[in-house]
Amino acid sequence: MQNYLTPNFSFAPVIPERGLGSRVWDNEGREYIDLAGGIAVNALGHCHPALVAALNDQAQKLWHISNIYTTEPAQNLARRLVEHTFADKVFFCNSGAEANEAALKLARKHARDTFGAHKHQIVACTNAFHGRTLFTVSVGGQPKYSRDFAPLPEGIVHIPFNDPAALAAAVNEDTCAVIIEPVQGESGVLPATPEFLHAARELCDRFGAALIFDEVQTGMGRTGKLFAYEHTGVTPDILTSAKALGSGFPLAAMLTTDRLAPAFAPGTHGSTFGGNPLACAVGCAAFDLIHREDTRANTRRQGTALTAALETLGRDTGIFQSVRGQGLLIGCVLAEPYAGKAAELTAAALRHGLMILVAGANVLRLAPSLLLTDEDREAAIPRLAAAVKEWLQTQ
Ligand code: PLP
């Protein structure tokens, strides 16, 4: 097929055409089991009837009206998020990067309003991923994503992930925010340690800085709770959510408290499509399905079963050195001899009818539907095993 898109993506050699639950079919009719979930987006699988109905229903009523007005879908979704989290107020936008951009701008504006312009430093982690805008690639701490776009925004300090001493050395009177992924997703499915998160909370409290949790990947049920911070005993001041929030419809949110929200006074920040009625109607339907005990129970049960099956595959073939993660966000760390070859394995899996992801060069990542069935899970493992065994023969 002729490609008319800019060359910043290297597309897989198949063209998906339709999906249902955890199955996808390409334009030649081949069937795949989807354990990638559109990179942790399709939390309810493909074309869930309740989401299709919510989208169709809202499509008959009102598609877009601008942020000159508020709408019932936007207020209904914001109310759900406020009622079930630490937050008092919600800002809607369209992508994880925009939610983080809003979080960082809110933290800077609040600090400037309250303490003065000197308090603008952002402390972030190396190997983090917060999005692709100029501000968020700069905060992300992966020079490969930012260096070609210099000059970059200033006032950002990077410290190693899970290093409380480095964090303590970096946070001071000039710090306006510390931003952390509770599980570093893109760089290898690496959970933050409780010590690191508690240190971040304590330092933010001591120096009047905002603690931002980027839950773009971990949020909305992915880890077995609505948001991953609920596992940690540490509550942020700002939280960002995207991906599963719209479960396939572009939608993102920044959640915060009544203490910080007033810094976003009228005119200070905005988004044409943020809080779009179609997106928020789908978001409400997705929220109601994700925030159910049976969905959480399935996430935990399938996560445990999938992890066990992957560990067995790792032991049988020697392909993995460890399997880690939380709920249905799972990373399989390749054994030393295969380091750097995760992408080759995802290509092999696709040839065997299985969609999986990488998280960096050394980790295979699985982020399937939270409604994954036993049948789909059990069918997926032999496909991965066949792909691994075939690929190992080429090594
Ligand atoms: N933050 C995290 C933790 C992510 O995993 C991602 C995307 O992978 C983003 C932010 C960026 O989200 P988006 O691609 O929707 O801008």
Side-chain angles (χ1 to χ4, degrees), residues 39 94-98 100 129-132 181 183 185-186 214-218 240 242-243 365:
I39 318 189
N94 314 289
S95 67
E98 284 173 79
N100 285 326
F129 189 81
H130 299 300
R132 299 289 199 147
E181 293 164 84
V183 180
E186 295 303 305
D214 177 346
E215 293 231 29
V216 166
Q217 189 153 162
T218 54
T240 54
K243 292 191 182 277
R365 177 174 32 155

Side-chain angles (χ1 to χ4, degrees), residues 125 159-165 180 182 184 190-197:
C125 297
I159 54 127
F161 187 60
N162 280 340
D163 186 338
I180 299 174
Q184 278 197 337
L190 251 184
T193 60
E195 300 73 43
F196 187 59
L197 297 177

Side-chain angles (χ1 to χ4, degrees), residues 343-376:
E344 288 184 26
L345 272 158
T346 59
L350 195 67
R351 290 194 294 275
H352 285 266
L354 182 67
M355 292 171 160
I356 54 172
L357 298 162
V358 300
N362 301 331
V363 177
L364 292 185
R365 177 174 32 155
L366 278 60
S369 166
L370 309 183
L371 304 180
L372 182 69
T373 60
D374 290 348
E375 187 196 346
D376 286 338

Side-chain angles (χ1 to χ4, degrees), residues 24-351:
V24 169
W25 290 266
D26 71 16
N27 62 352
E28 290 173 359
R30 274 196 70 195
E31 178 245 76
Y32 304 83
I33 299 174
D34 182 3
L35 299 187
I39 318 189
V41 166
N42 300 314
L44 300 163
H46 296 274
C47 293
H48 191 289
L51 301 194
V52 174
L55 186 60
N56 281 336
D57 186 46
Q58 186 59 40
Q60 313 298 319
K61 293 185 192 159
L62 186 70
W63 287 35
H64 180 81
I65 194 70
S66 91
N67 281 312
I68 292 165
Y69 309 94
T70 190
T71 65
E72 285 184 6
Q75 293 296 338
N76 288 341
L77 181 57
R79 189 187 68 245
R80 282 166 169 78
L81 290 166
V82 164
E83 281 177 357
H84 297 284
T85 66
F86 71 97
D88 306 307
K89 290 285 185 289
V90 178
F91 168 79
F92 286 122
C93 45
N94 314 289
S95 67
E98 284 173 79
N100 285 326
E101 188 88 15
L104 297 163
K105 285 178 71 178
L106 178 70
R108 277 211 173 147
K109 177 77 166 45
H110 168 77
R112 168 183 281 261
D113 292 352
T114 315
F115 302 97
H118 69 95
K119 196 170 178 64
H120 65 263
Q121 294 270 2
I122 291 158
V123 178
C125 297
T126 48
N127 289 325
F129 189 81
H130 299 300
R132 299 289 199 147
T133 63
L134 197 57
F135 200 1
T136 54
V137 281
S138 307
V139 171
Q142 298 197 57
K144 67 178 177 192
Y145 293 138
S146 59
R147 64 180 163 229
D148 293 342
F149 304 102
L152 303 176
E154 293 173 4
I156 303 162
V157 178
H158 289 105
I159 54 127
F161 187 60
N162 280 340
D163 186 338
L167 188 61
V171 177
N172 57 41
E173 299 293 346
D174 294 337
T175 307
C176 72
V178 174
I179 181 165
I180 299 174
E181 293 164 84
V183 180
Q184 278 197 337
E186 295 303 305
S187 57
V189 191
L190 251 184
T193 60
E195 300 73 43
F196 187 59
L197 297 177
H198 282 280
R201 181 68 275 170
E202 196 273 314
L203 288 160
C204 285
D205 288 344
R206 191 176 342 146
F207 290 101
L211 180 59
I212 304 172
F213 280 176
D214 177 346
E215 293 231 29
V216 166
Q217 189 153 162
T218 54
M220 294 307 296
R222 174 68 39 206
T223 66
K225 292 200 186 274
L226 188 60
F227 288 103
Y229 81 87
E230 297 168 42
H231 295 282
T232 69
V234 176
T235 304
D237 304 297
I238 303 176
L239 179 148
T240 54
S241 176
K243 292 191 182 277
L245 187 63
S247 286
F249 202 97
L251 173 61
M254 181 206 63
L255 281 57
T256 190
T257 61
D258 278 337
R259 190 171 63 83
L260 277 82
F264 265 9
T268 50
H269 192 58
S271 161
T272 293
F273 291 117
N276 170 285
L278 284 175
C280 290
V282 175
C284 285
F287 188 101
D288 291 344
L289 286 164
I290 288 171
H291 191 54
R292 283 168 51 145
E293 187 42 45
D294 53 351
T295 307
R296 281 192 289 275
N298 192 61
T299 303
R300 290 191 286 262
R301 198 170 64 77
Q302 297 295 349
T304 304
L306 207 45
T307 301
L310 292 163
E311 282 169 347
T312 303
L313 179 64
R315 268 195 305 277
D316 290 350
T317 59
I319 188 83
F320 306 135
Q321 57 172 281
S322 64
V323 179
R324 65 193 179 200
Q326 211 170 22
L328 278 172
L329 182 57
I330 301 172
C332 309
V333 186
L334 296 182
E336 192 58 38
Y338 314 116
K341 296 190 170 170
E344 288 184 26
L345 272 158
T346 59
L350 195 67
R351 290 194 294 275

